[in-house]
Amino acid sequence: MAIGGCPIYVSDKPGNHNLELLRKLVLPSGSGLRVHLPGRPTRECLFSDQARDGARVAKKTHVHDAAPGTLTGAVRADDVDAIAQVADDGDGDDGWDGEAVAYMQRARELVRLPCDAVLPVTLGALDYEVFHVCPVRAIAMAPGGTVVAFAPVGLLDTVDATAAAVALRVHGCDHFGAYFSRRPARCTLDGADVGFTYDGDTRTCSQRDPRRINLSQGKTVMAPACVSDEHAVAVSAERLWKAFMDASALPKACAGLVDDIAVEGNGGPGTIYTMKLNPAAGVGSTYKTRVAVCDATSHVLKSDVLEAESKVGKLKSHSTETKLEATGDGSCVAKLKVEYELEDGSSLSPEKEKDIVDGYYGMLKMIEDYLVAHPAEYA
């Protein structure tokens, strides 16, 4: 079935079929995987009429760019308008916390999306990707009180992967994948144990079976550890945001710490900031980030850390979220959330987590002091 929920008609000449593509659209029985709800436009374009919005005033011949640049964007779990309904497993518990996984069908990658997380996307000319978004639910408690989370992704080799898994019943056969927050102890099919593989980097569990679906070649992913804190700032949220987002301001405001900043992009999602640090500060030489979310209205900046030297040790992954909330005409509160992963899936000690937070707030304090000393700037 098409993404819109309608049938797909194949008009190839006999003998000229693309069998590899057709196998991604139908099951071995010849039946198709049908989505539960029809495809719908996203909210931002629901009431948009390109024929009347003034964007097109006349018909004309247009020569397309023969070498177009890349297209950048972002994917969020709540881009799926009815995802909360999908997350409801019928037990009357509406406690889904917004966490999901996104499976990229063409890239064959699984990415965990914490609540409100954004997945940057870059596409080249004639490129495409199909994202399958699956809510993550807690299904058990492991020894020690750790929550075990699970999300059935479906048949990984089909275009409509998620339609293959319904209430943990699988339609079809071959390569099935699922997300587990920790390695499963066993996998059974029709009551019999079957083999499977598990990759701790992406925490996807999957298996190939020519008869029916198994769990086998897959991976389970540990949820990143999270540490958060907030500090009062004696500067308005709007003024602090302007200075915070102005790359040229940081070498002045953070003199002795930041020597220079290189910017690749327009400041929106996908923009890369490379900060050259003063060696005398003792915090490394480079701090490189990629913007995931930049909301100037809500004063929210989320970034993935691509390169950094940390005194707490090497981190497998590292992301930050800074939110500024006004508390008065000349004050605000800065809320910081840091998510990180270690190679072994463990967490840092509270002392080392504090070191991470203090490092970010140290820079913020330098910006605050600079703005207090220069009240006319960014006013």
Side-chain angles (χ1 to χ4, degrees):
M1 309 300 289
I3 293 177
C6 52
I8 293 176
Y9 295 92
V10 179
S11 57
D12 300 330
K13 293 181 179 180
N16 290 338
H17 300 303
N18 185 335
L19 296 181
E20 181 180 358
L21 175 60
L22 293 178
R23 290 190 185 101
K24 296 179 180 180
L25 299 174
V26 298
L27 301 176
S29 64
S31 60
L33 294 169
R34 185 166 186 171
V35 294
H36 301 295
L37 295 172
R40 290 171 288 185
T42 53
R43 294 190 179 191
E44 69 272 13
C45 65
L46 189 59
F47 297 105
S48 175
D49 185 349
Q50 295 182 347
R52 301 182 181 181
D53 62 3
R56 297 188 307 175
V57 296
K59 294 183 179 180
K60 61 180 180 180
T61 301
H62 179 73
V63 178
H64 292 280
D65 188 350
T70 58
L71 177 68
T72 60
V75 172
R76 298 164 51 106
D78 59 9
D79 286 339
V80 182
D81 191 56
I83 193 169
Q85 297 173 238
V86 177
D88 182 6
D89 56 10
D91 60 2
D93 177 15
D94 58 354
W96 179 55
D97 62 2
E99 181 180 351
V101 294
Y103 175 66
M104 291 171 274
Q105 197 272 335
R106 194 177 186 201
R108 302 185 67 79
E109 295 181 5
L110 183 73
V111 178
R112 175 184 168 273
L113 296 175
C115 182
D116 296 329
V118 174
L119 176 62
V121 180
T122 301
L123 297 175
L126 301 179
D127 200 2
Y128 75 92
E129 186 56 88
V130 179
F131 292 86
H132 304 278
V133 181
C134 313
V136 174
R137 296 300 300 263
I139 58 172
M141 295 292 291
T146 303
V147 174
V148 179
F150 170 76
V153 177
L155 294 178
L156 304 183
D157 293 331
T158 61
V159 174
D160 194 8
T162 50
V166 182
L168 299 188
R169 291 177 299 175
V170 181
H171 299 268
C173 62
D174 204 14
H175 197 187
F176 178 80
Y179 167 95
F180 283 92
S181 61
R182 59 179 293 155
R183 182 182 178 87
R186 62 189 296 207
C187 175
T188 63
L189 174 65
D190 292 337
D193 284 351
V194 292
F196 68 95
T197 59
Y198 175 80
D199 186 328
D201 291 334
T202 61
R203 297 167 196 167
T204 310
C205 207
S206 67
Q207 180 192 8
R208 295 184 183 275
D209 190 299
R211 302 160 296 128
R212 288 190 50 195
I213 197 63
N214 288 346
L215 285 179
S216 171
Q217 290 178 318
K219 309 176 180 182
T220 299
V221 185
M222 300 298 291
C226 179
V227 56
S228 59
D229 198 2
E230 60 182 63
H231 282 205
V233 182
V235 176
S236 71
E238 183 66 24
R239 192 165 169 236
L240 182 59
W241 175 264
K242 290 179 180 178
F244 191 59
M245 296 305 299
D246 184 359
S248 64
L250 294 187
K252 295 185 300 180
C254 302
L257 174 63
V258 180
D259 287 344
D260 188 33
I261 298 181
V263 182
E264 302 174 48
N266 60 3
T271 299
I272 294 177
Y273 291 92
T274 303
M275 190 180 299
K276 299 298 182 182
L277 304 176
N278 191 321
V283 292
S285 60
T286 303
Y287 180 71
K288 188 174 184 179
T289 61
R290 179 177 56 221
V291 175
V293 175
C294 183
D295 189 334
T297 302
S298 301
H299 300 138
V300 175
L301 177 68
K302 297 181 182 180
S303 300
D304 297 316
V305 180
L306 305 179
E307 182 180 341
E309 297 176 34
S310 173
K311 58 183 178 181
V312 304
K314 182 174 178 57
L315 303 177
K316 178 182 175 183
S317 67
H318 182 185
S319 65
T320 66
E321 175 184 329
T322 303
K323 183 176 184 179
L324 307 179
E325 295 183 354
T327 55
D329 290 339
S331 63
C332 68
V333 60
K335 297 184 176 181
L336 174 68
K337 181 169 68 173
V338 178
E339 288 191 341
Y340 68 87
E341 283 187 283
L342 300 179
E343 293 291 345
D344 61 1
S346 63
S347 298
L348 294 171
S349 66
E351 292 77 18
K352 289 188 175 182
E353 288 187 337
K354 185 176 184 301
D355 286 341
I356 293 178
V357 173
D358 288 348
Y360 286 109
Y361 278 124
M363 179 180 291
L364 190 67
K365 179 61 177 174
M366 296 179 74
I367 300 174
E368 176 190 9
D369 291 344
Y370 179 85
L371 293 177
V372 171
H374 301 81
E377 294 197 32
Y378 301 99

